[in-house]
Amino acid sequence: MKKVALVSLISIFIAITVLSGCSSNNTSENTSKVENTATNDASTNQTKTNDTAVTNETTTEQGVPEKYDPPIEMTTVGVNYPTVKFSEGESRTDNVWTRAYLDKFGIKLNYKWVVDDTQLEQKTNLMLSTGEIPDFMNVTDIQFKQLYDAGLIEDLTDVYEKYASESVKRMMTAGGPIAMDSAKFNGRLMGIPYTMSNKEVADVIFIRQDWMDKLGLPAPKSMQDVLAISEAFTTKDPDGNGKADTFGLAADKGMTMLNGFINGYHAYRDLWIKDSTGNLVYSDIQPEMRAALQALQGMYKSKQLDQEFSVKEFAKVSESLAASKVGILYYPPYGGSYPLQSVRDNNPSSDWTAYPLPSIDSTPAAPQVGASTNGYWVVKKGYEHPEAILKIMDFWIKTFYENKSREVMEKYVTTPDGNTPWLLSAIFSYEGFFNVDVQQDIKAVIEGSKKFDDINPIAQDTYTKVMNFVERKDEKFWGFDEVYGLHGARAITKEVYLANNLFTENQFYSTATQTMGVKMATLQKMRDVAFTKIITGAPIEEFDQFVESWNKSGGEQITKEVNDWYKSK
């Protein structure tokens, strides 16, 4: 499994943990952005109902009983999570989720093994090598292909069409068609995608509003405006300390914090995109990337970038932000909580505003987004009840996403004392725009078009935190207002990106081609070295040399293989 887990399972906190702060790993890359939150019980207006409400909403599928009688048995494998606290007598096989599967659906779930996240991939690969797999499990794209080639997994095409609930079908397609397309071999659905909320973490641009106000700078409407703001933040002493110690733009060693800037030039990092002829080309070798690098080179030369950015990981850049040394940050919308809450903590007079990505020309910028899946849920070939996986998936969606009962939330999802029973669900999949919807619900309550009681408990708790800042001026909740408030950063995703379909996705979503598997890592390292050299002062012609070397060193063959796959699709 592709680390099914801590990166991706914790990512689901993007959906629920909107509630006590945000954290991230050391990169701004969209495929691994994490919001770390925990529900509070500040809201007291939610009417309690028992958890049978969740059961009553579950679809009874034609030809399959609501509850198997006698119960059926299913096996799977799983991961241990340190944030889960078991009550006395409970275990991974006996907990609120497994009891619900048995009581509500007649599904007795057993785990063949459970390991720590660090051991997961090795343990799974060892199991696959024996050919003995559980009745269902989550696998990476590579493992998915291996299992398909070995004939070990069930064709779910007809099962899905006949038995998947509307909730499941809606989740599988909420982010677009790529997730479902990627789960097919020769037109047959061989797994259920583990969907990701990749689009709702598309980058926005955060800018120090207090610095803009001090220097009399207007809101950015173009990349030219961003460049002017960056120059002013570097040269006009926005912090007023009389020293030339501020930088315009945040940048990190891996250059992932520059993705949004590069996207403003219609350039993208590490994606396969369509060219004007309809073929797929590698984004990093396109002319638009040359222009973006040349702009960054000029910014570096004029010290608008930290002169040591090429050796600084995300954590070090965050320290510069917290110390009020940087004024522009390209980051996902949750950046208003992390890392920008730390700026506010250290300097209460600081303020930031989020904007959509500005463009270099009249064509709107379309931010790049990460993978739409984190693997696939597969069923063992020959298992008698493959439709049961869809019942478990439907229960997950209704309990985690569609539930409006605080009692259900605290039983299955997250508790006031910080326990996280949602991690005990046997199946996960992420709603494409859940956090965006939370922000829109909060906006509706503030504007009066919705009542507090009409939004779900997660949105209620987040609303309460926003109001803790807006009405009670509690500074520790500033970040919640920045992300989820009336003009929160998440509104940009809904009102600009989603409304205009401004997302750039990787058009290659298969397993690695033969040459890609052998040479891509070397080519990516070549790219990173070349890009860093160019930004820090090498002649821009080195980009042309990099493109030539990339093609000769395997890139040209990889491009052919990618397009062969694309045409076959």
Side-chain angles (χ1 to χ4, degrees):
M1 293 187 218
K2 180 197 285 189
K3 279 196 170 184
V4 162
L6 230 33
V7 169
S8 66
L9 286 184
I10 284 187
S11 288
I12 204 164
F13 269 160
I14 291 174
I16 140 188
T17 42
V18 279
L19 308 179
S20 77
C22 299
S23 70
S24 169
N25 61 5
N26 63 358
T27 170
S28 124
E29 192 154 12
N30 288 338
T31 55
S32 56
K33 308 237 180 46
V34 175
E35 289 189 60
N36 178 22
T37 55
T39 310
N40 69 38
D41 57 354
S43 167
T44 58
N45 293 338
Q46 175 72 24
T47 301
K48 286 194 173 185
T49 60
N50 64 47
D51 63 307
T52 57
V54 177
T55 307
N56 291 339
E57 292 180 338
T58 303
T59 304
T60 302
E61 311 298 352
Q62 182 180 3
V64 176
E66 177 72 18
K67 181 176 180 178
Y68 297 103
D69 186 16
I72 64 172
E73 294 196 6
M74 295 187 80
T75 57
T76 190
V77 297
V79 177
N80 288 315
Y81 299 103
T83 58
V84 176
K85 307 180 190 74
F86 289 107
S87 299
E88 185 174 354
E90 287 192 331
S91 66
R92 192 57 192 263
T93 300
D94 182 8
N95 55 70
V96 293
W97 285 86
T98 57
R99 289 193 294 272
Y101 302 147
L102 183 59
D103 295 344
K104 300 177 191 300
F105 309 117
I107 298 173
K108 181 174 176 54
L109 184 67
N110 291 301
Y111 284 84
K112 292 174 71 74
W113 47 258
V114 180
V115 296
D116 292 338
D117 180 62
T118 56
Q119 302 171 303
L120 183 61
E121 188 167 359
Q122 181 180 3
K123 181 75 171 179
T124 303
N125 284 332
L126 181 62
M127 179 181 66
L128 296 185
S129 70
T130 69
E132 295 295 325
I133 64 174
D135 296 326
F136 77 92
M137 64 186 299
N138 181 257
V139 295
T140 67
D141 52 356
I142 293 175
Q143 293 163 349
F144 186 36
K145 179 68 161 55
Q146 291 171 339
L147 288 168
Y148 171 76
D149 289 343
L152 293 176
I153 52 178
E154 192 70 30
D155 183 335
L156 300 177
T157 309
D158 298 334
V159 172
Y160 183 85
E161 287 303 315
K162 187 174 182 180
Y163 301 121
S165 69
E166 289 306 310
S167 293
V168 171
K169 290 180 178 178
R170 183 173 59 251
M171 176 168 281
M172 293 300 107
T173 57
I178 286 181
M180 285 294 285
D181 287 348
S182 71
K184 296 176 181 178
F185 290 99
N186 297 319
R188 305 298 293 178
L189 185 70
M190 300 304 298
I192 306 300
Y194 185 149
T195 56
M196 299 287 286
S197 50
N198 59 331
K199 291 181 179 177
E200 73 166 18
V201 293
D203 279 357
V204 298
I205 180 173
F206 291 95
I207 303 181
R208 278 287 294 259
Q209 188 64 47
D210 56 318
W211 286 5
M212 290 178 66
D213 293 343
K214 179 179 178 180
L215 300 177
L217 300 171
K221 296 181 179 180
S222 66
M223 279 301 300
Q224 289 82 356
D225 293 338
V226 173
L227 296 176
I229 292 169
S230 176
E231 182 179 18
F233 283 178
T234 305
T235 62
K236 295 187 178 180
D237 192 24
D239 59 356
N241 68 355
K243 300 177 182 178
D245 59 354
T246 52
F247 306 109
L249 178 63
D252 66 316
K253 176 182 178 179
M255 291 183 280
T256 53
M257 296 176 78
L258 295 175
N259 280 352
F261 179 92
I262 290 169
N263 296 165
Y265 285 80
H266 313 303
Y268 310 96
R269 294 185 70 237
D270 201 23
L271 297 184
W272 290 91
I273 57 177
K274 286 184 183 179
D275 67 7
S276 59
T277 67
N279 291 320
L280 296 189
V281 293
Y282 192 54
S283 61
D284 291 286
I285 64 171
Q286 302 311 306
E288 292 82 1
M289 183 62 76
R290 190 183 198 273
L293 292 174
Q294 192 162 20
L296 288 167
Q297 183 185 79
M299 296 175 75
Y300 181 85
K301 184 177 181 180
S302 57
K303 299 187 177 179
Q304 296 175 45
L305 302 182
D306 186 336
Q307 302 296 282
E308 297 179 349
F309 87 89
S310 62
V311 297
K312 289 189 174 182
E313 303 285 357
F314 176 83
K316 280 295 183 182
V317 182
S318 295
E319 291 177 7
S320 296
L321 286 163
S324 288
K325 299 301 179 186
V326 187
I328 301 173
L329 172 68
Y330 283 91
Y331 211 67
Y334 62 76
S337 280
Y338 181 82
L340 297 185
Q341 179 69 56
S342 62
V343 185
R344 183 80 175 193
D345 292 342
N346 290 339
N347 183 357
S349 65
S350 67
D351 199 14
W352 295 77
T353 299
Y355 302 93
L357 298 190
S359 170
I360 192 64
D361 55 29
S362 60
T363 301
Q368 68 179 83
V369 296
S372 61
T373 65
N374 188 57
Y376 306 89
W377 297 99
V378 297
V379 177
K380 182 170 70 174
K381 180 76 171 179
Y383 179 66
E384 186 177 358
H385 295 284
E387 75 284 346
I389 191 177
L390 296 171
K391 283 182 170 289
I392 296 176
M393 177 71 80
D394 184 70
F395 182 66
W396 158 255
I397 297 169
K398 287 182 167 59
T399 303
F400 193 93
Y401 285 112
E402 298 177 4
N403 163 60
K404 292 191 175 181
S405 161
R406 182 166 295 278
E407 184 178 7
V408 169
M409 184 181 78
E410 293 181 0
K411 180 176 181 179
Y412 292 101
V413 180
T414 185
T415 65
D417 64 359
N419 197 12
T420 55
W422 64 272
L423 286 165
L424 297 173
S425 173
I427 288 179
F428 302 91
S429 208
Y430 304 160
E431 184 69 60
F433 296 99
F434 181 82
N435 284 280
V436 170
D437 292 339
V438 167
Q439 189 276 333
Q440 293 288 296
D441 279 346
I442 291 170
K443 178 181 179 181
V445 173
I446 293 173
E447 294 178 336
S449 59
K450 276 190 178 182
K451 295 181 179 179
F452 179 84
D453 288 352
D454 293 336
I455 62 178
N456 67 52
I458 293 172
Q460 288 180 346
D461 288 353
T462 310
Y463 170 88
T464 299
K465 295 200 172 195
V466 169
M467 290 298 106
N468 280 340
F469 174 75
V470 173
E471 296 181 346
R472 290 173 281 281
K473 305 304 178 185
D474 189 333
E475 283 291 327
K476 69 176 175 287
F477 296 108
W478 173 87
F480 281 89
D481 182 52
E482 186 74 9
V483 178
Y484 293 98
L486 184 61
H487 303 291
R490 288 205 180 277
I492 293 170
T493 307
K494 174 75 172 182
E495 297 167 12
V496 180
Y497 298 160
L498 187 56
N500 298 288
N501 193 28
L502 295 177
F503 301 101
T504 302
E505 293 186 88
N506 195 347
Q507 298 301 307
F508 178 75
Y509 43 85
S510 179
T511 54
T513 69
Q514 181 176 1
T515 308
M516 190 183 291
V518 175
K519 296 189 175 182
M520 199 64 183
T522 300
L523 293 174
Q524 289 173 332
K525 185 175 181 179
M526 178 193 301
R527 172 204 62 199
D528 293 344
V529 171
F531 285 11
T532 301
K533 286 177 63 179
I534 292 168
I535 293 172
T536 56
I540 191 61
E541 288 74 20
E542 289 211 9
F543 178 80
D544 307 317
Q545 295 170 18
F546 154 70
V547 172
E548 184 178 352
S549 297
W550 188 90
N551 279 310
K552 288 182 177 179
S553 301
E556 187 173 2
Q557 179 61 28
I558 291 173
T559 301
K560 179 182 181 305
E561 293 169 357
V562 166
N563 278 284
D564 287 344
W565 165 85
Y566 188 59
K567 291 171 184 175
S568 74
K569 296 292 287 186

